[in-house]
Amino acid sequence: MTEKSIKISVAARIRNNFLAGLIICAPIAITLWLTWSVIHWADSWVRPYIPARYDPESYLNFAVPGTGVVIAMIFITIIGFLAKNLIGQSIVRFGESIVQRVPLVRSIYKSLKQIFETVLKEQGTSFKKVGLIEYPSPGLWSMVFISTDAKGEMASKFNAMGHDMVAVFLPPTPVPTAGFLIFVPREKITLLDMSPEDGAKLLISGGLVSPEYREKLIAPKEVPPPIPMKSLS
């Protein structure tokens, strides 16, 4: 019995050490792989348009990964700088007027522009809050990302019905990039203190990685000191 228990304990230790190493190495390996894939994808798109005299690989005997990413970032920054002045705005309006004349392209461009303006707007509050709603049935709760208040025609219809609705995004597990857009009454949303990043970790891990939470202590109300009674004369 002693030898068997020793063998089991040794096997358990090896397994625990392997799992501990996997927890450390797997995120690093996946992060490096994703980063390298994005860099390689950007280089494959940008590098063919770089003139040979500006390409570092023309002067070096080895590949320089990330050149396409750097050049793309510089190009996008220059475009953004030029678009802020009067001439740049005129060019952008002229280009948009041409796109608006193409039936299918104008719908795609308008939708993508609205999405990017909403997501990248600094003053926006989209997806900065996490909440809970009862879904798919009463008593079952799902975590959602708060998108924005109902706007436009949706807001008009909801207001006519006497409802104050909020648009929320319900992502699935473990891939939160796809999901459902749901309009929920404001009073039926339970806001959470966790950040969207922590919410994404909780979703991707299937509930295994739960963010740390420190319950807020409510300070007791100060009781005024008793009023001294005046001595009866």
Side-chain angles (χ1 to χ4, degrees):
M1 295 295 293
T2 304
E3 294 180 359
K4 185 176 181 179
S5 61
I6 292 175
K7 292 181 179 179
I8 294 176
S9 63
V10 172
R13 290 179 181 178
I14 294 175
R15 182 193 62 185
N16 293 337
N17 291 336
F18 173 78
L19 294 177
L22 184 63
I23 292 174
I24 296 174
C25 296
I28 297 175
I30 295 174
T31 302
L32 293 177
W33 176 75
L34 289 175
T35 304
W36 178 258
S37 299
V38 172
I39 292 176
H40 180 71
W41 174 78
D43 287 347
S44 64
W45 274 85
V46 178
R47 183 163 290 162
Y49 300 98
I50 302 176
R53 61 178 179 271
Y54 298 118
D55 192 352
E57 293 188 6
S58 302
Y59 308 97
L60 302 175
N61 296 325
F62 55 89
V64 182
T67 304
V69 177
V70 175
I71 293 178
M73 293 177 63
I74 295 175
F75 177 76
I76 293 173
T77 304
I78 293 175
I79 293 297
F81 172 76
L82 295 177
K84 289 184 177 181
N85 56 44
L86 183 60
I87 298 177
Q89 291 178 358
S90 302
I91 296 174
V92 171
R93 285 195 296 266
F94 176 74
E96 289 182 344
S97 64
I98 296 177
V99 174
Q100 293 293 337
R101 298 176 183 177
V102 184
L104 180 61
V105 176
R106 65 186 178 189
S107 300
I108 299 175
Y109 172 77
K110 186 176 181 180
S111 301
L112 291 175
K113 184 178 179 180
Q114 290 178 347
I115 292 173
F116 275 92
E117 286 179 347
T118 302
V119 174
L120 299 180
K121 190 177 180 181
E122 294 181 357
Q123 292 82 7
T125 58
S126 300
F127 299 114
K128 289 188 177 181
K129 295 182 180 180
V130 185
L132 293 174
I133 63 172
E134 283 190 292
Y135 183 88
S137 61
L140 301 180
W141 293 84
S142 298
M143 188 173 68
V144 296
F145 295 96
I146 311 300
S147 178
T148 182
D149 295 341
K151 298 179 180 178
E153 183 180 359
M154 303 296 292
S156 177
K157 297 296 183 182
F158 288 136
N159 292 335
M161 293 185 289
H163 298 313
D164 183 15
M165 307 295 283
V166 178
V168 300
F169 177 69
L170 175 64
T173 300
V175 184
T177 54
F180 302 96
L181 173 64
I182 304 176
F183 289 92
V184 185
R186 190 182 303 273
E187 65 273 8
K188 292 188 177 181
I189 301 176
T190 302
L191 294 179
L192 300 176
D193 294 331
M194 70 174 63
S195 63
E197 291 78 11
D198 291 335
K201 293 176 185 177
L202 184 63
L203 282 170
I204 295 173
S205 65
L208 297 177
V209 179
S210 181
E212 296 182 359
Y213 174 68
R214 293 183 179 180
E215 188 174 358
K216 296 181 180 179
L217 298 177
I218 301 177
K221 295 182 179 179
E222 296 183 359
V223 180
I227 301 175
M229 298 180 63
K230 295 181 179 180
S231 59
L232 297 176
S233 54

